[in-house]
C-alpha cells in the first residue's frame, strides 16, 4: 500500500503497469463546518439539512450533515492525486450512501484495485468510506482510464480561503442579549429607510420596543413605501428633527424609555439636546462614544474610543473616555479589559502630546484614578493588535498584541480607523454613547439597518445592567 503523500511533497502517479490487483490507497479527512459551507458555495446546494442548523435539528438526523458528495469527492481526490494519480481519467462511478457524515466525523477513504483491462488500460476500483467508529459511510466502485506514462509534478500550493459569514457574526452579537427582555427605546426622527428599518429590525429581534419620534405622517408613509409594519411601535408626533431630538431626550429623562437611538438627523442636532444643561442627559462623567467592532481577522471584539464625539480631548477628557470604555467592556463580560492608548510611536516624545497623555493615563491607572482595566501606552496600532509586531520591537506588556480597547488620540484618527476597519476589513460595527443617563445608539447616517440593530443589542445590555444598579 503506497503511503499517503505529505502536503509539501510532489504528486506522483502510479501507471497502469505498476498497479497490482488488490493494491490499495487511503486518505482521511475530518469534516469541519467550513467544509460544508465551501461545498454549498461552490455547488449551489443550500439544502437546509446542510446549512440551516435550526431546520436540521428537526430533521431525521437531528443535526447538520455533510453533502453526500462531499464524501464522494474524497474518492475523486485519491484517484486524481494518489492512486492512480495524474493522468487518470474518470470513466464511471457508482456510490451507495449508508449513513450521514456530521461535523467532527473523520472519514477514511480506501481505494482498492479490483480489475484491470489490458485492451484499454481501464481499472475498476472498490471504494469504501468509513467513519471514526469504523462504520461504513459510502461504498461503491469507480472505473478510470489509468495513465501509462510516469508523471511527477510539484504539488501546487492552493490559495487560502477565508469564509466571512456576516450573518452569523451579527447573530452572535445579538446573542449577548439572550434572556433579556426588550427595552423601550425612543428613536429620534426615523425618516429614512435605514433608520426606520434599523429600529424595526431591532424590534423584530426582540431587542427594543420602539417609540418613533418624528413627523407621524412622514413615518407612516415611509413604512408603507418600504412595506414595513409598525406593529408594537408607539409614534410620538414631532414637526421636525430638532423637536424630535428634544422630545426623544425628554422621554428618556422622564423614564418612559431606557435608551435612545439617532434616526435620520445630524449628530449635532441630537447631541445638542442630550447635553442641554437643564433638560439633557448628562452625568458627572464626560460624554464619549465607543465603537464595538467585530473584525474577522482579530480574535476578539475590538472597542475603539472616541471616534464620534470628542474632537480634541484633553488628558482629563481622556481619563473619562477610558473609564467609560472600561465600564462598558465589563458590562459586556470582559473581566479586566486590556486598554491600549494609541499614538504614532511606542515611546514617550515630548513633541507628541498623544504620547504624553498615554503615559499620564497609565500612571493614573496605577494610582487608582482609572479602575477596572489594564492600561498600556503609548502603543502604535501594530503593537496594540499584533503580538509579532510587539515582540519585534521588544515590547513586553500584558496589553500589546491583545488589546480589547483602543483609545485614539482624537476624533479624526478614531473615525478613520473605525471606518477603515468597516469598509476595508469587513468589520461589523456597533456604536453607543457612554457617560449619559441612558445608553444612546449613535450611528452614521450611512450605516445600515444591521449596524443600527447590532448597536441596540449593546444598549439593551447596558439598560439591564443599570436596572440591577
Amino acid at each position: 500500500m503506497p503511503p499517503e503523500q505529505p502536503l509539501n511533497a510532489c504528486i506522483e502517479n502510479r501507471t497502469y503497469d505498476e498497479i497490482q490487483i488488490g493494491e490499495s490507497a487511503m486518505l482521511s479527512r475530518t469534516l469541519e463546518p467550513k467544509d460544508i459551507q465551501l461545498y454549498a458555495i461552490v455547488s449551489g446546494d443550500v439544502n437546509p439539512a446542510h446549512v440551516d442548523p435550526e431546520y436540521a435539528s428537526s430533521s431525521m438526523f437531528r443535526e447538520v450533515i455533510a453533502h453526500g458528495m462531499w464524501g464522494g469527492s474524497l474518492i475523486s481526490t485519491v484517484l486524481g492525486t494518489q492512486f492512480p494519480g495524474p493522468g487518470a481519467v474518470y470513466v464511471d462511478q457508482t456510490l451507495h450512501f449508508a449513513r450521514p457524515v456530521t461535523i467532527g466525523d473523520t472519514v477514511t477513504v480506501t481505494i482498492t484495485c479490483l480489475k484491470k483491462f489490458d485492451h484499454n488500460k481501464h481499472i475498476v476500483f472498490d471504494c469504501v468510506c468509513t467513519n471514526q467508529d469504523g462504520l461504513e459511510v459510502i461504498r461503491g466502485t469507480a472505473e478510470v482510464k489509468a495513465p501509462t506514462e510516469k508523471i511527477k509534478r510539484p504539488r501546487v500550493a492552493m490559495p487560502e480561503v477565508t469564509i466571512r459569514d456576516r450573518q452569523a457574526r451579527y447573530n452572535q452579537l445579538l446573542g449577548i442579549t439572550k434572556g433579556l427582555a426588550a427595552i423601550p427605546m425612543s428613536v429620534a426622527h426615523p425618516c429614512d429607510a435605514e433608520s426606520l428599518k434599523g429600529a424595526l429590525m431591532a424590534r423584530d429581534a426582540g431587542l427594543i420596543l420602539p417609540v418613533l419620534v418624528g413627523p407621524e405622517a412622514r413615518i407612516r408613509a415611509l413604512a408603507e413605501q418600504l412595506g414595513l409594519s409598525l406593529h408594537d411601535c408607539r409614534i410620538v408626533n414631532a414637526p421636525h428633527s430638532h423637536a424630535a431630538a428634544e422630545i426623544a431626550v425628554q422621554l428618556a429623562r422622564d423614564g418612559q424609555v431606557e435608551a435612545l437611538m439617532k434616526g435620520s438627523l445630524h449628530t449635532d442636532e441630537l447631541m445638542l439636546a442630550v447635553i442641554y444643561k437643564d433638560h439633557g442627559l448628562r452625568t458627572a462623567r464626560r460624554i464619549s462614544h465607543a465603537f464595538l467592532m467585530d473584525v474577522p481577522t482579530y480574535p476578539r471584539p475590538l472597542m475603539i474610543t472616541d471616534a464620534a464625539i470628542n474632537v480634541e480631548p484633553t488628558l482629563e477628557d481622556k481619563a473619562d473616555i477610558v473609564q467609560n470604555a472600561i465600564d462598558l467592556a465589563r458590562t459586556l463580560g470582559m473581566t479586566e479589559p486590556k486598554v491600549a492608548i494609541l499614538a504614532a510611536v511606542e515611546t514617550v516624545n515630548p513633541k507628541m502630546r498623544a504620547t504624553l497623555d498615554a503615559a499620564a493615563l497609565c500612571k493614573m491607572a496605577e494610582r487608582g484614578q482609572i479602575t477596572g482595566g489594564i492600561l498600556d501606552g503609548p502603543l502604535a496600532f501594530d503593537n496594540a493588535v499584533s503580538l509579532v509586531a510587539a515582540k519585534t520591537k521588544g515590547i513586553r506588556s500584558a496589553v500589546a498584541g491583545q488589546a480589547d480597547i483602543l483609545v485614539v488620540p482624537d476624533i479624526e484618527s478614531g473615525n478613520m480607523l473605525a471606518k477603515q476597519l468597516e469598509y476595508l476589513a469587513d468589520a461589523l460595527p456597533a456604536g453607543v454613547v457612554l457617560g449619559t443617563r441612558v445608553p444612546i445608539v449613535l450611528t452614521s447616517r450611512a450605516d445600515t439597518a444591521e449596524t443600527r440593530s447590532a448597536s441596540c443589542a449593546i444598549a439593551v445590555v447596558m439598560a439591564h445592567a443599570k436596572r440591577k444598579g
Side-chain angles (χ1 to χ4, degrees):
M1 180 184 298
E4 184 178 336
Q5 300 178 26
L7 292 179
N8 61 350
C10 291
I11 292 182
E12 183 176 355
N13 69 357
R14 303 290 303 280
T15 65
Y16 179 85
D17 292 335
E18 290 176 327
I19 296 173
Q20 304 298 316
I21 291 177
E23 192 174 2
S24 299
M26 298 176 65
L27 173 72
S28 293
R29 290 286 186 272
T30 300
L31 179 69
E32 299 180 18
K34 67 179 181 180
D35 296 321
I36 296 177
Q37 293 173 312
L38 285 170
Y39 195 94
I41 292 169
V42 172
S43 68
D45 183 353
V46 292
N47 182 332
H50 309 306
V51 297
D52 185 343
E54 182 179 355
Y55 170 84
S57 65
S58 62
S59 69
M60 64 181 293
F61 300 116
R62 303 299 181 188
E63 59 183 318
V64 166
I65 62 172
H67 300 77
M69 288 308 298
W70 176 81
S73 70
L74 299 182
I75 295 173
S76 176
T77 298
V78 179
L79 294 172
T81 63
Q82 286 182 240
F83 192 57
V89 178
Y90 242 128
V91 176
D92 191 25
Q93 176 83 69
T94 62
L95 296 174
H96 170 70
F97 300 92
R99 53 178 43 84
V101 176
T102 60
I103 294 172
D105 284 353
T106 298
V107 175
T108 298
V109 182
T110 304
I111 307 295
T112 305
C113 175
L114 288 181
K115 300 177 183 178
K116 297 179 66 177
F117 300 94
D118 292 340
H119 70 285
N120 58 6
K121 309 301 182 185
H122 283 204
I123 300 178
V124 175
F125 294 93
D126 179 56
C127 309
V128 180
C129 300
T130 56
N131 63 19
Q132 67 278 2
D133 298 319
L135 300 175
E136 190 174 292
V137 174
I138 302 173
R139 175 175 286 278
T141 59
E143 182 177 345
V144 303
K145 180 177 176 59
T148 57
E149 296 182 359
K150 198 69 176 173
I151 299 173
K152 184 176 182 179
R153 301 286 299 172
R155 182 179 289 272
V156 176
M158 300 304 295
E160 182 179 346
V161 177
T162 301
I163 298 177
R164 294 183 177 173
D165 191 339
R166 193 175 180 88
Q167 185 62 42
R169 290 158 54 211
Y170 169 72
N171 292 339
Q172 185 176 12
L173 179 54
L174 297 192
I176 65 177
T177 66
K178 186 177 181 180
L180 301 179
I183 63 169
M185 174 182 284
S186 58
V187 186
H189 206 254
C191 294
D192 71 354
E194 292 304 320
S195 62
L196 183 58
K197 286 195 292 186
L200 300 183
M201 183 181 292
R203 173 204 62 189
D204 294 341
L207 301 176
I208 69 170
L209 301 171
V211 180
L212 308 178
V213 184
E216 182 172 357
R218 185 174 171 185
I219 292 172
R220 291 190 181 279
L222 178 61
E224 184 176 353
Q225 175 189 338
L226 298 173
L228 302 173
S229 170
L230 296 177
H231 73 273
D232 293 336
C233 291
R234 174 187 168 194
I235 300 179
V236 177
N237 190 44
H240 46 67
S241 57
H242 290 290
E246 292 175 0
I247 294 172
V249 168
Q250 189 60 47
L251 291 170
R253 279 187 63 89
D254 294 344
Q256 296 186 51
V257 298
E258 295 181 76
L260 176 62
M261 183 196 292
K262 174 191 163 190
S264 57
L265 72 171
H266 198 277
T267 296
D268 289 347
E269 286 185 88
L270 179 61
M271 292 310 297
L272 187 62
V274 169
I275 65 175
Y276 191 68
K277 184 175 181 180
D278 296 325
H279 305 292
L281 299 173
R282 301 191 72 160
T283 65
R285 190 80 64 78
R286 179 77 181 184
I287 295 175
S288 62
H289 180 275
F291 278 114
L292 187 67
M293 315 287 288
D294 179 329
V295 187
T297 53
Y298 198 66
R300 63 185 63 85
L302 190 62
M303 194 180 299
I304 300 173
T305 189
D306 177 345
I309 293 180
N310 292 282
V311 178
E312 289 189 77
T314 64
L315 174 60
E316 186 178 16
D317 295 336
K318 289 180 180 178
D320 277 351
I321 289 170
V322 171
Q323 192 64 67
N324 286 341
I326 290 173
D327 291 348
L328 173 58
R330 289 170 65 88
T331 298
L332 296 176
M334 301 180 200
T335 305
E336 197 172 34
K338 298 178 176 65
V339 184
I341 316 298
L342 296 186
V345 295
E346 64 278 358
T347 54
V348 176
N349 185 333
K351 295 181 180 180
M352 301 175 70
R353 185 169 73 87
T355 68
L356 296 173
D357 286 352
L361 289 168
C362 292
K363 182 57 69 174
M364 292 171 75
E366 288 181 19
R367 295 291 187 265
Q369 293 171 268
I370 299 173
T371 61
I374 304 173
L375 275 64
D376 194 16
L379 288 173
F381 178 77
D382 57 343
N383 304 326
V385 299
S386 169
L387 280 170
V388 174
K391 288 180 179 178
T392 299
K393 294 187 177 181
I395 299 173
R396 296 181 179 179
S397 162
V399 175
Q402 47 192 342
D404 300 305
I405 300 171
L406 302 179
V407 180
V408 298
D410 53 43
I411 195 172
E412 291 178 331
S413 58
N415 193 271
M416 292 177 195
L417 173 58
K419 289 184 177 178
Q420 284 166 357
L421 291 175
E422 179 180 2
Y423 287 94
L424 297 181
D426 194 32
L428 177 63
V432 65
V433 173
L434 310 171
T436 49
R437 293 190 183 189
V438 301
I440 302 173
V441 172
L442 187 69
T443 52
S444 167
R445 284 172 291 172
D447 282 336
T448 63
E450 177 190 64
T451 296
R452 298 168 194 267
S453 182
S455 301
C456 288
I458 299 176
V460 170
V461 175
M462 293 175 66
H464 278 272
K466 183 181 178 183
R467 289 183 187 181
K468 296 178 180 178

